[in-house]
């Protein structure tokens, strides 16, 4: 094991830094980030002899926090997503979790969505297919979709289309949920 939760605090996994060296790096540039900054978790084993692990990229997006149960050993923050889920859309890096965070703040929209990437001409296009909540009318959902489109443009910096689906048809979480459908090279 790389880490374990302290029974007294139950506030996240403490990394066994006497055996592993953790780092958090920017998933795009590989630049090492400081403690408390979100990025991709990377491990190097310090005591393995037969098969050492050197800068193993976990693809987990998290941050390093100060230790509580073992103050000299840092903790892993809550995992917020995976770097291999990152989409590069017209030069903008975005993660499905960013869209989820925005959608959860908008009443009328459900947290169930899919991202569809297409290239109808020479420019990539993103369509967010999201369900409306059952207690939301179609008119309210249309206004919520416009709000979601604006918030994605403001917070992520990319324009997209929003398609609101009826409650229920979009996939629910059952194991690893597939949210990204990359159809950019489907016709090639």
């Amino acid at each position: 094991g790389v880490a374990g939760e302290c029974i007294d605090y139950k506030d996240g996994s403490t990394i066994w830094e006497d055996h592993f060296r953790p780092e958090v790096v920017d998933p795009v540039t590989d630049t090492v980030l400081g403690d408390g900054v979100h990025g991709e978790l990377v491990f190097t084993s310090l005591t393995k002899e037969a098969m050492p692990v050197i800068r193993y990229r976990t693809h987990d997006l998290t941050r390093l926090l100060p230790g509580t149960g073992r103050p000299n050993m840092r903790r892993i923050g809550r995992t917020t997503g995976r770097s291999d889920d990152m989409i590069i859309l017209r030069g903008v890096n975005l993660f499905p979790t960013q869209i989820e965070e925005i959608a959860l703040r908008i009443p009328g929209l459900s947290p169930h969505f899919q991202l569809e990437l297409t290239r109808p001409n020479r420019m990539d296009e993103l369509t967010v297919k999201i369900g409306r909540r059952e207690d939301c009318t179609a008119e309210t959902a249309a206004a919520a979709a416009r709000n979601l489109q604006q918030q994605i443009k403001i917070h992520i910096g990319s324009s997209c289309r929003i398609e609101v689906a009826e409650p229920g048809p979009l996939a629910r979480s059952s194991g690893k949920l597939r949210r990204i459908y990359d159809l950019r090279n489907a016709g090639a």
Side-chain angles (χ1 to χ4, degrees):
V2 171
E5 189 166 57
C6 180
I7 196 164
D8 295 331
Y9 294 93
K10 295 183 182 164
D11 60 354
S13 296
T14 299
I15 302 166
W16 306 124
E17 288 194 69
D18 48 349
H19 295 284
F20 298 93
R21 180 178 186 266
E23 296 174 289
V24 171
V25 301
D26 182 294
V28 177
T29 65
D30 240 4
T31 307
V32 177
L33 304 172
D35 288 359
V37 180
H38 278 89
E40 182 181 340
L41 185 61
V42 175
F43 283 111
T44 298
S45 64
L46 302 174
T47 56
K48 266 191 181 243
E49 292 180 17
M51 282 186 59
V53 176
I54 300 170
R55 298 205 79 214
Y56 173 75
R57 296 184 71 151
T58 64
H59 296 289
D60 290 333
L61 297 174
T62 185
R63 61 188 176 140
L64 295 175
L65 302 170
T68 49
R70 304 238 188 275
N72 57 338
M73 295 184 188
R74 292 173 287 180
R75 294 177 294 128
I76 302 170
R78 185 175 75 81
T79 301
T80 58
R82 299 209 21 102
S83 65
D84 50 359
D85 283 345
M86 182 177 72
I87 300 167
I88 300 175
L89 180 68
R90 288 182 251 137
V92 175
N93 301 332
L94 66 96
F95 296 93
T97 53
Q98 291 174 296
I99 292 173
E100 181 179 36
E101 287 174 18
I102 295 169
L104 287 173
R105 293 190 303 247
I106 299 175
L109 299 178
S110 78
H112 309 293
F113 67 93
Q114 295 171 347
L115 306 178
E116 185 175 278
L117 294 161
T118 56
R119 187 177 292 143
N121 297 310
R122 294 192 329 205
M123 293 289 288
D124 292 347
E125 292 185 8
L126 172 66
T127 302
V128 178
K129 296 180 178 185
I130 189 163
R132 70 174 172 88
R133 295 188 189 274
E134 292 194 23
D135 60 347
C136 178
T137 65
E139 295 80 29
T140 306
R146 288 190 296 276
N147 186 10
L148 177 62
Q149 187 176 35
Q150 290 171 345
Q151 294 301 313
I152 289 172
K153 180 68 175 171
I154 291 167
H155 295 288
I156 298 175
S158 186
S159 57
C160 65
R161 287 186 26 218
I162 308 293
E163 291 181 9
V164 179
E166 291 300 311
L170 295 176
R172 302 287 199 261
S173 181
S174 58
K176 182 151 172 77
L177 181 62
R178 182 175 178 201
R179 290 197 185 223
I180 303 168
Y181 294 86
D182 192 344
L183 308 173
R184 289 180 284 195
N185 295 322

